[in-house]
Amino acid sequence: ARGEFPSFPISPPPLSSRQTGTNGDPGRWIVLKAQILAGGRGKGVFNSGLKGGVQSCLFFSPSVVGELANKMLGYSLTTKQTPKEGVKVKTVMVAEALDITRETYFAILMDRACNGPVMVGSPQGGMDIEEVADKSPELIFKVQYCNICNSICVLLGNYCTLWISQAADQIKRLYDLFLKVDATQVEVNPLGETPEGQVVCFDAKINFDDNAEFRQKAVFALDDMSESDPTETEAAKWDLKYIGLDGNIACFVNGAGLAMATCDIIDLHGGKPANFLDLGGGVKEKQVYEAFKLLTADPKVEAILVNIFGGIVNCAIIANGITKACRELELKVPLVVRLEGGYCTGGATATTLYPYLCSQLLLSLTTPDLCSFVSHASFLAFLAP
Amino acid sequence: MEEILKLKDICVARGKKVLGTFHSQQAIDYGSRLVGGVSPGKGGRTHLGVPVFNSVKEAREGTGAEATVIYVPPPFAGAAIMEAIDAGMPLVVCITEGIPQQDMVKVKHKLLRQSTTRLIGPNCPGVINPGECKIGIMPGHIHKKGRIGIVSRSGTLTYEAVHQTTQVGLGQSLCIGIGGDPFNGTNFIDCLEVFLQDPKTDGIILIGEIGGNAEENAADYLKQHNSGANAKPVVSFIAGLTAPPGRRMGHAGAIIAGGKGGAKEKIAALQQAGVVVSMSPAQLGSTMFKVRPERCTQELVYLFHGSRAL
């Protein structure tokens, strides 16, 4: 059910003529695309000096391809969608270049307003769809998926029968793919036409629903963690929802909303959160311990805020996990702990925690009240600027 | 939605043995009238003093239950909701986090084509009419029967709002967790409609977060239906001002995608609708106390005089 993806992925070491994997004749065009998990590659820049994450060259000999690839492989590519330092390129896709006479944009994505999948398209495809959306929004259409794809094909700017029948077929296949892999988005840019009238999906980005991992094992096995924050990868192993941020005040919270709000509180008082962390409702003591270990191992963390309001979570589990971590990991940074709700009385948990915290730390407090927690947060922000 | 306000009657729990049992016992202890359980293959047994049935349909026929709460794990939760809709259950509360989006799209498709069942959730703590009926995982003891309606996408932030409104003496009329998923059964507007029409609700707390445009839609609704002399005060907090774009912040629905769904825009939209937006989640209770209507004060005065130990 996939579209046509002409592709011969290759990766280091540098190319020899045997490894190009293509039998292109001299005089045909080859395209090389850096394989990173970010868009805007066409206008990106390598730290080797090479401009453009998508390169094309006339195939006189495999060495031509090899030379270009060697300026990409192992170097960092910076685009509009990467961090400033760019992303290291470990894989380059080499493919036969096809002539494109027309480029359109087509995507299927889950849309809340429409309560399901919608198709978004534009006769203006190729690069910079964000710019099209910004400058010429009338060129972008959005329709709910229906079985009649022909009208969509016309909206993509071509009335000819050959285009319509092929593009409609591609769209149906893309929709099947969208459902089959539990995608939240399948974006083809460009969905193009060749001079021979062929409809080709020249590039695609697919976002997958994390909630469907249990039934998409093959898809998730393809997940390449090399571009991810190693702490995030480690946290995921323990089923912790962790996202690294830039600051120095770490957060340790139950519940996504409260976790986001805790980062907001830190920022509101002039501090900078080091991370988002949602322990989740069913968190076990071992996970609490591992989460604490992750936070304390981060060299940029200079203070830790624990903010727990137990619904499913039992505060005693949190308290026990933290005290074990404090004992074993020689905590050196100030820690503010707030425990509320969760089938314990604040006082009892404080009694469990306090002896361990006091003896090892610069500053520790347990406070059930969010207001005083906030004021301690602002104190910490002051303490760890 | 009116049935939730009147709900003190009946509720059926369905789910995994341990979690379902724990929370069902909590519900019974709180005073909710739990009348049965559903566990396929275990029909005919008794658990926690109530009969167990093989299906929701059998449970509804056997007990006359008007509500059901679902604790089923993600791979099967979508089907469990469908089954409850097929059984004609008036109220379905789904606690489960992690249901695939496609499954919920199918559920929504079915929900929108019928008018018997109201779904709350998924990925939510549930709904509570303090002092009367608790359907879900919220800690009952922090609630106090009172005058403030609370609606929220986040469970833990709901507990904060509840805790604070209890502490300032206002209490809660009804608390509804609509959940953190992008496709759910009940939205802000559904709840605002109930609160605006409920004579026992004097003020509203709305807790939102990044992702989607439910808060903007709520703001539009409030502009049209909650203005003028009889407007009820609405206090809000929106989580995620510091969230980086493109990342899923815990909740499946909490993601700033394609430049849309940020907290700043939501805050602005709500403020334009006359909502008092608190920049800190720690000031929901105190802010509501400041903007409470006169009749709330009278109630508090009455309570103070009525009970010296306030």
Side-chain angles (χ1 to χ4, degrees):
Chain A
R2 294 183 184 264
E4 293 170 322
F5 287 99
S7 67
F8 306 93
I10 59 165
S11 51
L15 299 173
S16 69
S17 57
R18 276 178 307 226
Q19 285 178 308
T20 55
T22 173
N23 294 317
D25 304 328
R28 286 178 81 149
W29 283 90
I30 293 292
V31 67
L32 289 88
K33 284 185 171 178
Q35 299 295 283
I36 61 167
L37 296 170
R41 289 169 299 167
K43 288 188 177 166
V45 178
F46 288 92
N47 63 349
S48 60
L50 183 66
K51 291 200 176 118
V54 178
Q55 296 284 333
S56 47
C57 64
L58 214 48
F59 184 76
F60 290 113
S61 71
S63 59
V64 172
V65 176
E67 265 167 45
L68 255 182
N70 284 336
K71 289 187 195 150
M72 299 164 88
L73 288 166
Y75 291 99
S76 285
L77 175 63
T78 307
T79 79
K80 262 196 310 191
Q81 294 181 23
T82 64
K84 270 181 257 168
E85 63 274 15
V87 176
K88 201 157 180 195
V89 175
K90 293 186 191 148
T91 312
V92 168
M93 184 182 87
V94 178
E96 188 182 342
L98 298 177
D99 282 333
I100 308 181
T101 50
R102 214 168 62 84
E103 295 177 311
T104 71
Y105 172 96
F106 179 76
I108 304 173
L109 51 126
M110 285 296 197
D111 185 271
R112 293 177 218 208
C114 297
N115 295 315
V118 291
M119 298 191 291
V120 177
S122 175
Q124 197 111 299
M127 296 193 280
D128 280 346
I129 192 66
E130 295 87 10
E131 224 180 283
V132 176
D134 206 28
K135 301 212 170 110
S136 326
E138 70 282 0
L139 285 176
I140 303 208
F141 66 84
K142 180 169 116 167
V143 296
Q144 262 187 289
Y145 182 79
C146 56
N147 285 323
I148 307 162
C149 293
N150 293 6
S151 50
I152 310 300
C153 304
V154 167
L155 284 170
L156 287 169
N158 190 339
Y159 300 87
C160 110
T161 329
L162 182 62
W163 158 267
I164 288 177
S165 65
Q166 282 193 69
D169 179 63
Q170 289 291 293
I171 287 171
K172 284 198 186 83
R173 288 169 183 257
L174 286 167
Y175 184 68
D176 286 340
L177 170 71
F178 178 86
L179 293 179
K180 192 164 163 221
V181 300
D182 274 297
T184 51
Q185 177 169 296
V186 170
E187 182 191 56
V188 178
N189 190 20
L191 176 67
E193 267 180 85
T194 66
E196 298 80 29
Q198 233 190 332
V199 172
V200 177
C201 297
F202 282 92
D203 191 26
K205 290 201 200 72
I206 307 179
N207 289 23
F208 300 96
D209 181 6
D210 286 334
N211 284 359
E213 186 174 347
F214 67 87
R215 64 185 187 204
Q216 296 290 348
K217 299 241 185 309
V219 168
F220 280 80
L222 295 172
D223 203 355
D224 175 6
M225 295 302 202
S226 58
E227 287 181 37
S228 306
D229 176 341
T231 314
E232 291 185 19
T233 311
E234 185 65 25
K237 283 195 203 140
W238 295 101
D239 274 330
L240 299 164
K241 292 178 196 165
Y242 171 96
I243 292 175
L245 301 170
D246 289 333
N248 57 357
I249 301 180
C251 304
F252 188 96
V253 187
N254 71 309
L258 190 59
M260 280 191 273
T262 305
C263 292
D264 295 345
I265 289 171
I266 295 169
D267 178 72
L268 189 64
H269 291 271
K272 287 205 162 309
N275 67 285
F276 162 94
L277 174 59
D278 171 15
L279 297 172
V283 67
K284 310 272 186 311
E285 205 181 293
K286 175 72 174 156
Q287 289 170 290
V288 172
Y289 171 80
E290 292 295 334
F292 223 74
K293 213 167 133 183
L294 276 174
L295 295 182
T296 50
D298 187 345
K300 69 180 195 293
V301 166
E302 291 174 324
I304 302 179
L305 283 177
V306 175
N307 189 7
I308 303 287
F309 202 130
I312 306 183
V313 166
N314 184 328
C315 284
I317 292 178
I318 307 290
N320 293 338
I322 294 180
T323 47
K324 182 169 149 75
C326 283
R327 256 182 277 138
E328 293 180 16
L329 302 173
E330 289 181 17
L331 191 67
K332 289 189 172 62
V333 298
L335 170 70
V336 175
V337 177
R338 182 261 186 153
L339 297 172
E340 182 53 83
Y343 313 108
C344 73
T345 57
T349 328
T351 316
T352 318
L353 274 174
Y354 210 61
Y356 296 104
L357 298 180
C358 255
S359 61
Q360 295 190 33
L361 305 169
L362 300 171
L363 170 74
S364 74
L365 296 151
T366 58
T367 164
D369 188 281
L370 188 60
C371 256
S372 30
F373 171 81
V374 165
S375 64
H376 292 128
S378 69
F379 176 79
L380 275 187
F382 172 74
L383 196 68
Chain B
M1 274 286 273
E2 290 71 38
E3 64 267 11
I4 299 180
L5 292 176
K6 289 184 253 159
L7 196 69
K8 50 196 292 187
D9 287 352
I10 315 163
C11 153
V12 171
R14 173 194 175 143
K16 250 188 121 163
K17 197 166 151 209
V18 172
L19 203 59
T21 299
F22 177 77
H23 288 294
S24 299
Q25 187 62 61
Q26 295 285 318
I28 293 169
D29 293 344
Y30 192 77
S32 307
R33 284 180 44 181
L34 192 71
V35 297
V38 176
S39 194
K42 303 213 176 109
R45 301 187 197 183
T46 307
H47 191 54
L48 302 179
V50 294
V52 178
F53 300 89
N54 283 318
S55 71
V56 183
K57 185 161 180 283
E58 280 176 31
R60 179 147 161 79
E61 282 163 4
T63 65
E66 293 173 316
T68 181
V69 56
I70 295 175
Y71 295 103
V72 175
F76 316 107
I81 301 173
M82 299 283 226
E83 188 195 334
I85 299 170
D86 286 337
M89 192 60 83
L91 180 67
V92 178
V93 179
C94 183
I95 311 298
T96 311
E97 174 166 22
I99 302 179
Q101 288 188 31
Q102 229 183 89
D103 291 4
M104 279 314 300
V105 165
K106 290 182 186 148
V107 166
K108 268 228 98 155
H109 186 84
K110 198 180 178 85
L111 269 177
L112 291 170
R113 283 155 183 78
Q114 56 84 52
S115 54
T116 309
T117 302
R118 149 92 33 212
L119 168 69
I120 295 183
N123 188 11
C124 77
V127 57
I128 179 169
N129 183 348
E132 311 261 359
C133 183
K134 174 173 111 84
I135 306 181
I137 55 170
M138 63 286 280
H141 69 272
I142 61 172
H143 297 76
K144 170 188 157 76
K145 195 161 181 64
R147 315 291 304 176
I148 308 300
I150 301 179
V151 56
S152 170
R153 285 167 65 183
S154 154
T156 40
L157 285 175
T158 313
Y159 307 157
E160 295 293 350
V162 164
H163 195 227
Q164 291 167 37
T165 45
T166 296
Q167 284 179 323
V168 299
L170 289 171
Q172 308 84 36
S173 55
L174 185 66
C175 305
I176 307 168
I178 60 174
D181 276 7
F183 298 102
N184 56 26
T186 295
N187 58 29
F188 283 130
I189 294 174
D190 295 327
C191 301
L192 290 172
E193 196 177 2
V194 168
F195 291 146
L196 290 179
Q197 289 168 15
D198 176 30
K200 294 200 193 121
T201 298
D202 292 334
I204 300 167
I205 293 182
L206 184 150
I207 300 171
E209 57 194 41
I210 53 164
N213 56 3
E215 290 79 3
E216 288 88 337
N217 293 343
D220 279 336
Y221 180 84
L222 287 169
K223 263 194 219 158
Q224 286 174 36
H225 296 98
N226 192 45
S227 48
N230 292 327
K232 295 189 184 181
V234 182
V235 169
S236 181
F237 172 74
I238 305 297
L241 262 173
T242 52
R247 302 302 306 269
R248 175 179 146 158
M249 309 300 287
H251 285 158
I255 175 166
I256 300 171
K260 301 221 170 91
K264 250 197 229 155
E265 292 77 8
K266 291 173 187 297
I267 292 170
L270 288 164
Q271 285 171 330
Q272 277 168 28
V275 172
V276 179
V277 178
S278 168
M279 299 314 285
S280 165
Q283 279 151 12
L284 291 169
S286 53
T287 308
M288 180 52 84
F289 190 81
K290 274 193 216 132
V291 302
R292 76 193 181 281
E294 194 48 44
R295 52 183 172 278
C296 264
T297 314
Q298 288 162 0
E299 182 104 353
L300 287 171
V301 168
Y302 172 77
L303 282 169
F304 180 71
H305 285 304
S307 150
R308 291 199 191 149
L310 191 71

